[in-house]
Amino acid sequence: MQWRWLIFTVAALWLPSVQPLQESTLEKSLLQREQMVRKYLKKLKKEEGAIKLVGGRGDFEGNVEIFHSGRWGGICDDEWDSSEAKVICRQLGFPGFVKATHSGHFGMAKRKFWMDNLFCGGKEKEISQCHFDGWGHNDCEPSEAAGVICKQEVEPTSTAKPVPEVFKPKKVRLHQELDVRLVGGRVPSEGRVEVRLGQDGLWGTICGDGWSLLQGNVVCRQLELGFANDAVQTDFFGGANVSEVLLSGTECYGNESSLDECFHHEIGWKSGCSERGNHVAAVTCVEKMADLAFDHVEMEQSMHLEDRLMYLLQCAMEENCVASQAYDIQRDNPNWHLETRRLLKFTARVLNTGTADFRPHIPKHLWEWHLCHMHYHSMEVFATFDIYNAAGRKVAEGHKASFCLEDNQCLPGTEPKYACANYGDQGISVNCADIYRYNIDCQWVDISELEFGQYTLKVAINPEFKVPEMSFDNNAATCELTYTETYARAYNCQMERP
């Protein structure tokens, strides 16, 4: 032990005096290693709130997964944008983000979704500090995985071997007649979608990637079966083990008269669906369907400004109905409840002009009770309110969870059917309107940090196309917005799709 102590003492006295340059190099190396360890420590230790990116070409991109209650889970892409991508890349130690991705850009979600309807200000240190619907609360499909592409710390040099990119085939119209049929259903109006080119061609299935109500509506219209009530990716009606995959990447606007007018990958492109027999496009058609129409005139006439104490906004803040700066004030200012927020308020009147009732797509037993407002939520996002500047960048936003869907006002001769009181059924009857008046919580956009000037306001109903309708082309209104110190006015509104 004495010899060991002597050697250690001599080394300690000798090293600093003869190796100053090596010490500096060593400190730099240790600092770099410390930064690297700090970057990945939380991810490797699987601590609560840890995140990782999966499915990408490297650790800088992929679908986002978060660790909660001892399990990894995905994040849904509802309301997923640059603010959330900025937080993710910062948490992982990257210098910035390149892009926020949607719709399972890096593959289908392989785990349950832990987070949905995220709302970040962009300054949060971790994604778990953002506002969301609660752990595990979601209504998302595996195809709705959120992801990011982060800026890499070291730019590749010209001598470095390039990272191979995933080949994305060009989408084109087929320019030839495409026959369509439904197969494997219990009734003629449902089944997996099969197509063929020419009378002598072989029937084949359609890859389910990106398959939605927009494509389903085209199929039902072409077969004269009405409207799509559901468009799913499933092997319930038989899969690729029954028929070869003929088409992939199908992309429709929704108003086409036949499927051959839509865009597809070129015939013969072998997508990943050829290896997954359960990932087949299917549809169920019905003769009658709801059709919502937003009343922009009511919005224009009711629009006004209100400065409101944050003390009176506590319930709305639980619903993420104010700008992110309000939560910073609540955290940092002990007298936050005396601060005010400027709200752009208006009435949203939505009329069902279709031939069937509009009903929530979530079953009643899965509706979520919100204690603050003392009501059930039957849809996570029923409406969105977005304000854009002249450059097209979103500068303020609001959203409306479905506090309740009910018949507030009906045309003469129509009896109201839906009411939210006492856990009643929710919906909007044909020829009835659901009205969110300007005096209801969250029927506004928080514009406290917005500068005076000219903007564009877009209000969208059923913005995620989750509930089927005849058409989505009358679900949104895009208006010019003038904002001054004393008033705000919306005008020149144009009806369009979300």
Side-chain angles (χ1 to χ4, degrees):
M1 293 294 295
Q2 292 180 348
W3 281 105
R4 291 181 180 177
W5 178 83
L6 180 60
I7 293 172
F8 176 78
T9 304
V10 173
L13 294 173
W14 176 73
L15 282 173
S17 61
V18 299
Q19 294 183 329
L21 293 177
Q22 292 185 12
E23 180 182 6
S24 175
T25 304
L26 179 62
E27 287 180 353
K28 181 182 292 187
S29 176
L30 289 174
L31 181 60
Q32 290 177 347
R33 181 174 179 82
E34 181 184 349
Q35 291 174 343
M36 182 183 70
V37 170
R38 188 184 301 117
K39 173 180 174 180
Y40 292 105
L41 182 61
K42 195 166 190 180
K43 173 179 169 181
L44 295 174
K45 292 180 92 174
K46 293 186 178 180
E47 293 182 359
E48 177 72 15
I51 58 173
K52 64 180 180 180
L53 305 182
V54 299
R57 298 168 297 176
D59 62 353
F60 61 93
E61 68 175 19
N63 291 336
V64 184
E65 290 190 354
I66 187 166
F67 195 76
H68 173 67
S69 294
R71 293 174 56 193
W72 289 102
I75 296 179
C76 186
D77 63 5
D78 293 343
E79 301 193 45
W80 182 260
D81 56 29
S82 58
S83 297
E84 289 73 41
K86 184 186 301 183
V87 176
I88 288 291
C89 293
R90 182 191 303 121
Q91 184 174 344
L92 288 174
F94 291 102
F97 76 98
V98 176
K99 183 181 180 182
T101 65
H102 302 79
S103 303
H105 181 79
F106 296 100
M108 305 278 282
K110 296 179 175 60
R111 310 175 192 268
K112 71 170 291 183
F113 286 107
W114 273 133
M115 307 177 85
D116 189 17
N117 290 317
L118 269 163
F119 180 72
C120 301
K123 298 180 180 179
E124 294 84 355
K125 293 182 178 179
E126 297 186 3
I127 198 70
S128 58
Q129 295 174 352
C130 299
H131 304 279
F132 59 102
D133 287 347
W135 295 106
H137 294 297
N138 72 90
D139 61 347
C140 302
E141 300 293 334
S143 59
E144 298 179 78
V148 295
I149 301 175
C150 299
K151 290 182 179 178
Q152 300 184 60
E153 294 185 61
V154 181
E155 293 294 331
T157 63
S158 58
T159 58
K161 183 178 180 180
V163 178
E165 294 187 4
V166 178
F167 174 68
K168 295 182 178 179
K170 182 180 178 181
K171 292 186 178 182
V172 296
R173 288 192 174 95
L174 299 178
H175 298 296
Q176 48 187 312
E177 188 174 348
L178 192 69
D179 292 330
V180 179
R181 69 180 184 182
L182 300 183
V183 182
R186 298 159 295 186
V187 293
S189 59
E190 69 174 19
R192 70 179 183 275
V193 183
E194 288 197 349
V195 294
R196 71 174 178 181
L197 290 168
Q199 296 296 324
D200 300 327
L202 296 177
W203 289 96
T205 58
I206 299 178
C207 175
D209 284 343
W211 189 254
S212 70
L213 288 169
L214 300 177
Q215 289 75 29
N217 261 341
V218 177
V219 170
C220 295
R221 183 180 301 115
Q222 182 173 353
L223 295 175
E224 298 182 350
L225 294 174
F227 310 93
N229 186 55
D230 203 0
V232 291
Q233 308 165 17
T234 181
D235 62 349
F236 182 81
F237 304 111
N241 59 323
V242 179
S243 303
E244 285 290 328
V245 177
L246 185 63
L247 286 181
S248 63
T250 303
E251 184 178 332
C252 304
Y253 184 84
N255 60 357
E256 295 88 351
S257 58
S258 61
L259 208 57
D260 52 74
E261 297 177 9
C262 302
F263 287 90
H264 315 267
H265 292 154
E266 292 183 358
I267 298 294
W269 165 251
K270 298 296 184 182
S271 67
C273 289
S274 61
E275 302 172 0
R276 302 197 303 272
N278 63 338
H279 200 53
V280 175
V283 68
T284 59
C285 304
V286 293
E287 293 183 358
K288 296 182 178 181
M289 180 58 62
D291 190 22
L292 299 186
F294 179 69
D295 187 350
H296 64 86
V297 176
E298 182 74 30
M299 178 190 69
E300 294 174 27
Q301 294 177 346
S302 60
M303 182 169 289
H304 64 281
L305 299 174
E306 178 183 328
D307 292 330
R308 198 169 192 183
L309 282 172
M310 288 181 63
Y311 174 78
L312 302 174
L313 294 174
Q314 295 179 70
C315 197
M317 291 179 71
E318 292 185 15
E319 306 282 355
N320 301 330
C321 293
V322 294
S324 59
Q325 291 85 349
Y327 300 97
D328 296 336
I329 295 173
Q330 186 184 42
R331 182 187 64 243
D332 301 331
N333 187 350
N335 296 317
W336 62 269
H337 55 285
L338 300 178
E339 298 288 335
T340 61
R341 305 295 296 174
R342 171 155 287 194
L343 308 177
L344 176 66
K345 309 186 76 174
F346 52 87
T347 295
R349 180 176 180 271
V350 181
L351 177 66
N352 183 1
T353 62
T355 55
D357 296 349
F358 182 89
R359 300 299 307 278
H361 74 288
I362 301 177
K364 189 173 183 178
H365 68 280
L366 294 179
W367 293 354
E368 186 178 353
W369 173 257
H370 279 244
L371 182 62
C372 187
H373 285 119
M374 301 295 288
H375 54 233
Y376 283 92
H377 280 199
S378 60
M379 289 178 65
E380 291 184 349
V381 179
F382 177 65
T384 55
F385 319 132
D386 298 321
I387 297 177
Y388 300 88
N389 62 14
R393 185 172 66 87
K394 188 189 299 184
V395 291
E397 62 182 349
H399 72 275
K400 189 73 173 179
S402 176
F403 287 178
C404 69
L405 290 171
E406 63 181 2
D407 297 329
N408 298 121
Q409 185 183 73
C410 296
L411 297 179
T414 303
E415 289 294 324
K417 184 190 305 183
Y418 300 104
C420 300
N422 301 319
Y423 194 35
D425 286 337
Q426 295 190 22
I428 308 176
S429 300
V430 179
N431 293 329
C432 290
D434 176 64
I435 304 175
Y436 287 116
R437 301 192 185 280
Y438 61 79
N439 58 354
I440 298 177
D441 257 358
C442 296
Q443 188 52 53
W444 62 61
V445 182
D446 184 351
I447 58 172
S448 303
E449 284 73 33
L450 198 65
E451 297 181 356
F452 306 129
Q454 291 292 128
Y455 299 93
T456 298
L457 169 67
K458 184 172 184 176
V459 178
I461 305 300
N462 192 15
E464 299 168 350
F465 308 132
K466 286 191 174 180
V467 181
E469 296 186 44
M470 284 183 176
S471 169
F472 298 100
D473 289 342
N474 53 358
N475 282 42
T478 299
C479 315
E480 295 182 49
L481 176 67
T482 298
Y483 173 44
T484 71
E485 187 175 357
T486 56
Y487 74 91
R489 184 171 75 92
Y491 55 97
N492 289 342
C493 294
Q494 302 293 326
M495 297 303 297
E496 57 183 45
R497 71 188 307 168

